[in-house]
Amino acid sequence: MGHVRDDFKAFRVRRKAMMKEKNARRRGYDEEIFLQLPDKTTLDPQVALYFQTCETSYRVLHEPSFWREYQAFWERRSNEESLTPFAAILLYILAITKCLQPNDGNIFVGDSSVDRDTALDYIETCDMWLQRQSRKQTTLTFFQLQCLSLLAKRYNSLKLKQDWTASGDIIRLAIAAGLHRNPSLLSRGRITEFEKEMRRRVWLTIVEMELQGSIDCGLPSSACGLYFDVQPPSNLPDETFAADTTQIPAGRPIEHFTSTSYLIVSLRSMPLRLHLLQLLNNPTTELQYSDVIHYDGQLNAMLTTLPIWTDPRAEIPTVLLKLQLLQFLLILHRPYAEFATANKRFSFSFTACIEATSAIMSLHEQLLGKNILALNHLRNDALRAGIALAQTTYHNCFHASPAECREPPNHKDFIHPVDVGAASKQQRLEGAPELKIPQLPTDSLLSATLCSTAVNLLEKVRQLFENKVMRLGTGYMEYFLLCSAQGIMPGLNQDRGTSIASITNATADDLRSRGRKSLERVTSLCFRVLALQKEPADSLVNSLRQNVTVPSPITPASSHGPSTGPATGAQLYGSSLGGGGLVGDLPTIIPGTGAMASALNEGKDLGVGDGAFDDLDMQVDLSGWTFPDFWNFDMGSAV
């Protein structure tokens, strides 16, 4: 595990250095945009996919106007300066849609998928060009490009550490340009009706993206306390107005779905969401439980009043409207749900967390069942739900008396950190508190049932997040956290008749088996990524096969004595992984990369089940060389 972690980190550093070198050669010239742009046959399905997914919720472009300009662009294809903004829009669209569909032939360059790496190259090229454009006269096209740039990064999970500042910069530019004010009050007679309508759409799109970015980062939103009097956009299909329209038609009832309906409905809950964001991000807020119940009622009331659309295009916006309200239920109730066993009053919060998480998972599974990956890539619902479930379940399994509800539990009383620098296992354990793992509550059937449900939901969360990792090639640390969270969950086969006093600690074997299972999940995913590497000219797979030997089935080494069988996990890695810890108890069989590569060539499935690859296990002799040796190939061809 230590090698996997260090080598993935080293490869990422190397990859970033190569990207930095590539960016140093960029100048942001128009020619660079046109050189990256593929042919029309490649772009046609990607542009259609963009309008079927992104433009049904966040509104950036006017579809009929876009298609007219799109046709004209290919008819007079040239490197004219006037065509560059539209060419940049096309390149951003291509970056947005690069990973929005399942790819059975998905391959990786290091830790990142090739599709995501290609999207990053498109984004860097357009961003460099966009930075060279003047900000003195910010046109509608300028803001459309800014929105597409932010969406492209979010859909591919790129530059997330810069997301809050980037979205804040866009909303400030919009405020400076007056997008937050009623367009009828600005520049009378100089703004067409078409531009007024598009400004309303783009403004609300910018605010929604900035608001969600603030929630994900846990930071204040620039829209909190901001006065804006721009009217909501009209609930109209794009076909009902054009650039030469002198009067916008009357909007249709909200029950009639159009591509702008999401923004109109979402605006209704925006004041509450902004208020909750400001409230929850303030460390000095003294939120009473009665306030939590009050806001719970408001959020659920808005959930029940959401319109029901039958239009097939409404699937993504309908799910998005629900997710942005359900996430606040999790944030509100989690601190109180942790004490449900100790204080029966908070059982409602535990139930609310389970229901909210179950609803979130069902919504995402509904989309994934139809091969719609957009919202799983765009949002962090899986990670938020998984951490909330783990924290809530863990604390409720240790609250045995009502007195413990007065203060949050001291984690050091239950989990003793492993001192990896100790000379021996005996020295580490002498004088240390007994190691404990959670057990289902025995004095409350409701709490035990909720904990069991949470454990089952956590497995769904892990699988959902694994889909994101394997498509994009990012989120490995978050996946490790989710696997670790599963490792400290209570077992579901506990005897209900056993008293909690008799289950005071877990044996070393229990702890080792839990750690082994969590590590298997992580390493199995990492080996899948390794097996799906893009083959260079010298054939990475052939190199792997030369270092792989096929063993006969073996049994993992016993924890009660030295192994007489094949090498241990530490020996396979050629080190002691820091000289301490439960090294000798790692699985003796590491998922074989050569076996997975062979299975791929034979068309076999590499789906990860509940542990390592049962049919593909191979013992790999890694002594004398490390994982970077796998990756000494030319990454320049990956983009």
Side-chain angles (χ1 to χ4, degrees), residues 397 438-442 490-500 503:
C397 289
Q439 302 292 334
L440 291 178
T442 57
L492 300 184
N493 57 350
Q494 176 184 335
D495 183 5
R496 295 288 302 164
T498 306
S499 66
I500 195 168
I503 314 174

Side-chain angles (χ1 to χ4, degrees), residues 234-237 239-240 249-258 261 264:
S234 302
N235 189 35
L236 290 170
E239 296 79 12
T240 57
R252 301 182 182 181
I254 198 61
E255 291 75 21
H256 181 95
F257 177 79
T258 70
S261 298
I264 300 171

Side-chain angles (χ1 to χ4, degrees), residues 68-96:
R68 284 193 295 270
E69 194 169 353
Y70 183 75
Q71 189 64 33
F73 175 84
W74 291 109
E75 289 175 356
R76 45 185 274 224
R77 173 71 184 271
S78 66
N79 290 7
E80 297 178 20
E81 184 178 349
S82 60
L83 298 179
T84 309
F86 190 77
I89 288 176
L90 294 179
L91 210 55
Y92 274 132
I93 289 177
L94 193 59
I96 289 173

Side-chain angles (χ1 to χ4, degrees), residues 353-639:
C353 282
I354 297 297
E355 288 183 346
T357 303
S358 178
I360 289 172
M361 289 299 101
S362 296
L363 291 171
H364 278 291
E365 288 175 349
Q366 169 188 330
L367 294 181
L368 288 178
K370 299 180 180 179
N371 289 330
I372 301 175
L373 312 181
L375 293 188
N376 191 25
H377 290 183
L378 183 67
R379 298 175 57 84
N380 252 344
D381 296 311
L383 183 62
R384 176 181 289 111
I387 298 302
L389 285 173
Q391 290 177 330
T392 303
T393 304
Y394 179 85
H395 288 300
N396 276 286
C397 289
F398 282 117
H399 290 167
S401 65
E404 293 186 20
C405 70
R406 297 171 186 169
E407 292 182 356
N410 184 357
H411 294 277
K412 293 182 180 179
D413 292 338
F414 303 109
I415 301 296
H416 182 71
V418 176
D419 181 10
V420 295
S424 67
K425 187 182 302 184
Q426 182 65 27
Q427 290 176 342
R428 289 197 310 273
L429 297 179
E430 284 181 356
E434 289 183 331
L435 300 179
K436 294 185 178 181
I437 57 175
Q439 302 292 334
L440 291 178
T442 57
D443 57 349
S444 172
L445 178 60
L446 176 60
S447 295
T449 303
L450 291 174
C451 287
S452 300
T453 305
V455 173
N456 291 325
L457 282 173
L458 192 55
E459 171 60 18
K460 289 186 177 182
V461 169
R462 185 191 65 80
Q463 293 174 359
L464 178 66
F465 197 82
E466 183 180 331
N467 287 331
K468 182 176 181 178
V469 175
M470 288 305 300
R471 183 63 184 94
L472 295 177
T474 187
Y476 298 97
M477 177 57 69
E478 292 86 346
Y479 185 75
F480 170 79
L481 293 176
L482 290 175
C483 292
S484 300
Q486 276 193 288
I488 61 169
M489 290 296 97
L492 300 184
N493 57 350
Q494 176 184 335
D495 183 5
R496 295 288 302 164
T498 306
S499 66
I500 195 168
S502 63
I503 314 174
T504 56
N505 70 292
T507 64
D509 286 339
D510 290 333
L511 292 170
R512 291 191 185 101
S513 63
R514 285 169 171 266
R516 184 184 304 119
K517 192 170 184 179
S518 296
L519 288 176
E520 282 181 353
R521 290 192 177 108
V522 179
T523 54
S524 293
L525 181 137
C526 292
F527 277 112
R528 285 182 72 189
V529 171
L530 184 58
L532 295 172
Q533 292 295 307
K534 183 175 182 179
E535 291 191 45
D538 58 348
S539 181
L540 173 64
V541 173
N542 289 335
S543 175
L544 289 175
R545 287 171 179 161
Q546 294 175 3
N547 295 283
V548 174
T549 58
V550 182
S552 58
I554 58 176
T555 304
S558 171
S559 60
H560 302 291
S563 173
T564 57
T568 64
Q571 293 169 334
L572 290 175
Y573 276 88
S575 74
S576 61
L577 297 181
L582 303 176
V583 174
D585 301 298
L586 289 174
T588 56
I589 295 183
I590 304 296
T593 54
M596 286 184 278
S598 301
L600 287 172
N601 293 336
E602 297 171 8
K604 294 182 180 180
D605 184 24
L606 287 183
V608 177
D610 207 23
F613 298 90
D614 296 334
D615 298 331
L616 303 175
D617 284 345
M618 305 187 80
Q619 183 176 348
V620 187
D621 181 12
L622 301 182
S623 57
W625 50 281
T626 57
F627 282 101
D629 295 325
F630 290 161
W631 297 330
N632 287 329
F633 57 89
D634 181 16
M635 292 188 299
S637 62
V639 178

